[in-house]
Every structure is written in structure tokens, then in C-alpha cells.
Amino acid sequence: MSRAADQSAPKPLPTPLGAAFAEPLPDDPAALKAMLRLLQGAMVAQTQSFDEALARQTREFERRILAIYEQLRLARRRLFGPSAESHAAQGWLFDEADALAGEASSAAQSAPDTAELLPAGRPAAPASPAPRRGKRAPLAQELPRVDVLHALPEAERTCACGTPMVEIGEEISEQLDIVPMQVRVLRHVRKRYGCPDGAHRPVSAPAPAQVLPKSNASSDLLAMLLTTKYVDGLPLARFEFVLARAGVRVPRQTLARWAIGAARALQPVANLMRDTLIEANVIHMDETSVQVLKEAGRAATSQSYMWVQRGGLPDKPVVLFDYDPSRSGAVPLRLLAGWHGYLMTDGYTGYNAVAAEGQITHLSCWTHARRRFVEAAQVLPKGKRGRAAEAIEFIGQLYGIEREIRELPTLERFAVRQARSLPVLAALRQWLDETLPLVPPSSKLGEALDYLHAYWPKLIRYTERGDLPIDNNAAEN
């Protein structure tokens, strides 16, 4: 039977209405009234059931519309509005140079026309609003100084009274100067010595040690190559052009081979760094996607991953990157084999396997929990305060405590966390239990609440000691 014929055919009445009309009507008025009351009750029950189903369907449609509306507002804010979580994507670590290139023109318009250097070893802090005018900071004393003397010609050193002038002082001003990259050739001249009588074999001075013995790249060149590529984010193609401007042609394929060869030569150093890493009691870990264009057996569009681990001594942290084409839980098992301690990660479930072995205690990141409430607050109309702001305030109190105790010894930090952080967490837990049943799970706020509820045991675990981190920013940054 076709769908049209099936829809046009009369459908039997549902029970008990269908059963009642299938029987002949009684002649007794009392029996007829009883049948009518039965039919009336059945119709009322069916109407109530229909109304309840319609209400459920309406609520489901409203939840879907709300979710789509929130996604639209969040997408518009990410595209056109400011974001406190800017550059949160971890791929920024690898494409930072290209992304910043587009911002250079606008930044250059507001940049001051004088350069200021920080003392050696001190990282540059994020720029904060400051007056445009004021006293210029002196250049770092660690920089070498070259004196350029400016003296008056002999003919101009005669005073108006006719007396020759004498030197009574000097005025000193400083300019920041950079010597352009100098490309040179190191000629290793090895002296050869021999017996005057020719009775014995000549002897030459030993050849200097080289990182890549079969290449003509010096150690300084290899160090600059690795720095420009992996620290400054400069692709090999651009470094090829930099060298060409200096009068040297080195194809990018040669640069790639040098980089690979230098990496292999540095493998013992990387092994020592890993030994230092696993000595730590706490390790931060994160992963970010990368694209490898030419990889055997894989399409160029395939996603691969770079895994980062940060640990070691507090004053000498170790950061290691490991490439793997997979994002499965087998990668943390391989990288952390034999290690036991506290592992700080985000909410990715791939880390659950390594924590399930019992040797590792898993911590979760409060920054990721807060980020979801920030997104839930951003989808609200402008000027409206919602429940997400309450959660952000609770988390802000936790971070305020951490800022105050950052420089305290470990035992004192633990005592403060027990005395001040635990009550804030208890209040947040009570707020979560009261709010969770009232919010649709499909909304942004519902997703944030579900995340907080699911990861709560791992989120509060940092209060068990004084040396545990509250978030995974050390790895994500």
C-alpha cells in the first residue's frame, strides 16, 4: 500500500473509544449514561496526554532554539568582538609569527619611537596602558657600549674674548644600535708537521669537532637556524631569503637537512631533559593539532598532534615537545611510562588511561572550567547578568587566594588553601547543586555546569597539597 493511500484510509479509534463505538448502543438510559461517562473520561485523558506531549515537544524546541541562539551570539562575538580568551587555541604556539604579521601595521602606528630593553634574562611583560609621555627608561647596562666622540674643530675652540677654550665636561646620550647580520667563512687552517729528514710520516693538527661533520655549517649557524625556526617561528623558506640578502645561497632543502641533523645530534640533550622532567612531582601536559604535508602513508589533510610536557625543578623548568600522528590515550601512556606523581591536564578524556593505572593522580584545570562560564556569559544580551557571572566570581575568589600565596612556602600555601580555599569551594559546590537542575543541559550555561560537575573531584584536588597547581596555564602558555 502506498503512503498516500495509507494516509487517506480511516484509522480506527484508540481504545477505549474504539471499543465503545464498536458495540451497539444500549437502550437502557443508565447504561447509556455510564458509557458516555466512560467516553468522556477517556477523551479527557487523551486530551491531557496530548497536551503533555505538546508541552514536552515545545520545551524541546525552545531548548534547541536557545542553543542555536547562543551558538550564533558566541560565534559573532568570536568573529567581531573582543575576547578575554584571545589566542586560546593551542595552534597559536606554532603559527604565531604568521598571525602576528597581520597585526603589525596597526601596532606600529601606536608604538613609541624609542626602544627600551629589559635586563638580560628577564622576559618582556605584556604591555599595559601607560602615559604616552614620561621619562624614558635607560638602556640595559649589560649591553656593550661603543663611544663615538664628537669634538669641536680646533678653529672653533676660541672664545669670543680671544682666549683658547678648555674642556670642562661632556654631554652623553645613548642610542640603541644593531649590527646587521654578518655572514663570514671560517677557514680552519690545520698546520702540518714533518721530519726534516723525511724518515717519518707527517703529523697534522686535529680537525675541530663539528655537529654535522659532512656539512659546511658551523655550530653558530646551526644554533641560529634552530632559533629562527623554532623560537622565532620563521619558516625555512623565509630564512633562505634572509641568507640570500646577505649574499649566501642556501636552499631550504639544505636548511631542512641541517635542522634534522642538528636535532639528531641534540638527542642526548633531549634525553637528559626528559630525565630531569620525570624527576618532577608535578607534570603539566597538553596537546595541539598540527598538519604534516608529506608523511608516509597519510594524506596531507590528516590531523597530527604535538604533545607538550612541562616539569622539572621550579627554578629550572623543562619543556619537551613530542610529535605523534595520534591523539589516543596510548600517547600519554608512552610518554609517562614509569612515572608517578600529579598530572595536570585539561578535560580531554585521552589522559584518563594513564591515570587509571593508579600511579598518577589526575588534576583538572580551573581555567578550562572558567572558560565555559565566560562563554555562557557572553551569549547573554548586553548588560544582563546571569548565573554564569556568579560562577565566575567564585572562581575569581579562588584565583585571588592563589595570587596572594604565590610566594609563600609550600606548607604555608597548603594551610591557606585549607583555611580559605575550601570554604569557597564548598559554597561553589552548593551553588552548583542548586543551579544544575534548573538549567537546560543543551544551553551554554548547562554545558558549563555539566563540565564543572563532571570534573569536580579533579578540580578540587589541588587543595590536597601546597605545591599543586590550580590550572594548566604553565603548559598552555
Side-chain angles (χ1 to χ4, degrees), residues 24-321:
L25 297 177
D27 296 331
D28 184 17
L32 186 60
K33 290 181 179 181
M35 179 179 293
L36 290 175
R37 283 194 294 269
L38 177 63
L39 293 174
Q40 184 181 22
M43 292 180 65
V44 171
Q46 288 186 356
T47 302
Q48 292 178 348
S49 176
F50 176 78
D51 291 342
E52 292 175 357
L54 181 61
R56 287 194 301 269
Q57 190 177 31
T58 302
R59 288 194 297 269
E60 179 63 25
F61 283 152
E62 290 176 350
R63 284 196 293 268
R64 292 181 181 179
I65 294 173
L66 177 61
I68 296 174
Y69 173 74
E70 290 180 341
Q71 293 173 4
L72 177 61
R73 285 187 60 89
L74 189 59
R76 287 176 60 87
R77 183 178 181 88
R78 287 173 176 171
L79 287 174
F80 307 111
S83 174
E85 306 288 341
S86 60
H87 304 320
Q90 309 225 4
W92 173 257
L93 181 65
F94 298 97
D95 60 6
E96 180 179 11
D98 293 336
L100 284 177
E103 304 174 8
S105 57
S106 59
Q109 296 177 1
S110 59
D113 55 0
T114 60
E116 298 177 2
L117 297 185
L118 295 172
R122 183 188 302 175
S128 58
R132 291 284 298 175
R133 298 183 180 273
K135 185 177 180 181
R136 184 187 306 168
L139 298 176
Q141 295 298 323
E142 293 83 357
L143 293 175
R145 259 66 176 177
V146 177
D147 291 339
V148 181
L149 298 180
H150 301 274
L152 287 175
E154 193 72 28
E156 298 180 12
R157 298 183 190 177
T158 302
C159 182
C161 66
T163 306
M165 291 186 291
V166 296
E167 184 177 340
I168 60 174
E170 59 186 10
E171 297 178 4
I172 299 177
S173 61
E174 294 187 339
Q175 286 183 323
L176 181 65
D177 184 43
I178 295 179
V179 179
M181 184 179 66
Q182 180 183 14
V183 179
R184 62 185 182 181
V185 177
L186 297 180
R187 297 177 65 244
H188 296 279
V189 181
R190 300 164 56 195
K191 297 293 185 178
R192 183 183 297 115
Y193 304 89
C195 177
D197 299 333
H200 299 282
R201 183 179 180 180
V203 178
S204 299
Q210 287 185 266
V211 179
L212 303 179
K214 295 183 179 181
S215 75
N216 58 355
S218 69
S219 300
D220 290 342
L221 175 56
L222 295 175
M224 183 176 183
L225 169 64
L226 298 180
T227 301
T228 54
K229 176 172 174 55
Y230 296 106
V231 179
D232 301 334
L234 191 67
L236 295 180
R238 297 184 184 178
F239 190 54
E240 177 185 358
F241 300 147
V242 172
L243 294 175
R245 287 199 304 268
V248 179
R249 183 182 180 277
V250 182
R252 66 197 67 176
Q253 293 82 2
T254 301
L255 295 175
R257 288 194 294 268
W258 287 354
I260 294 173
R264 290 171 178 168
L266 291 172
Q267 186 62 49
V269 179
N271 295 340
L272 292 175
M273 293 177 65
R274 179 163 296 280
D275 293 340
T276 304
L277 175 77
I278 62 177
E279 292 177 359
N281 188 51
V282 179
I283 289 181
H284 297 257
M285 198 166 179
D286 194 26
E287 80 290 338
T288 187
S289 59
V290 294
Q291 187 175 3
V292 181
L293 297 181
K294 295 181 180 180
E295 191 171 13
R298 305 189 75 208
T301 56
S302 301
Q303 286 281 33
S304 300
Y305 295 89
M306 192 70 72
W307 298 74
V308 61
Q309 303 165 83
R310 187 184 190 277
L313 301 176
D315 56 338
K316 294 181 180 180
V318 173
V319 180
L320 290 179
F321 287 90

Side-chain angles (χ1 to χ4, degrees), residues 360-441:
I360 294 177
T361 303
H362 199 180
L363 307 174
S364 285
C365 173
W366 272 101
T367 297
H368 283 79
R370 179 186 179 276
R371 188 175 300 160
R372 284 163 171 78
F373 287 104
V374 171
E375 292 180 352
Q378 290 175 346
V379 300
L380 296 176
K382 187 176 181 180
K384 184 176 180 180
R385 174 184 170 87
R387 292 189 177 98
E390 301 175 8
I392 295 174
E393 289 180 357
F394 278 117
I395 300 174
Q397 295 179 34
L398 297 176
Y399 272 92
I401 296 172
E402 293 302 310
R403 284 192 297 270
E404 295 178 15
I405 65 176
R406 183 178 303 166
E407 304 299 331
L408 296 180
T410 301
L411 292 179
E412 295 184 23
R413 292 178 63 190
F414 172 71
V416 174
R417 285 176 173 177
Q418 293 293 306
R420 297 175 55 188
S421 300
L422 288 183
V424 177
L425 290 170
L428 177 57
R429 180 73 237 192
Q430 181 179 357
W431 174 88
L432 174 62
D433 293 338
E434 295 173 354
T435 309
L436 187 60
L438 307 177
V439 179

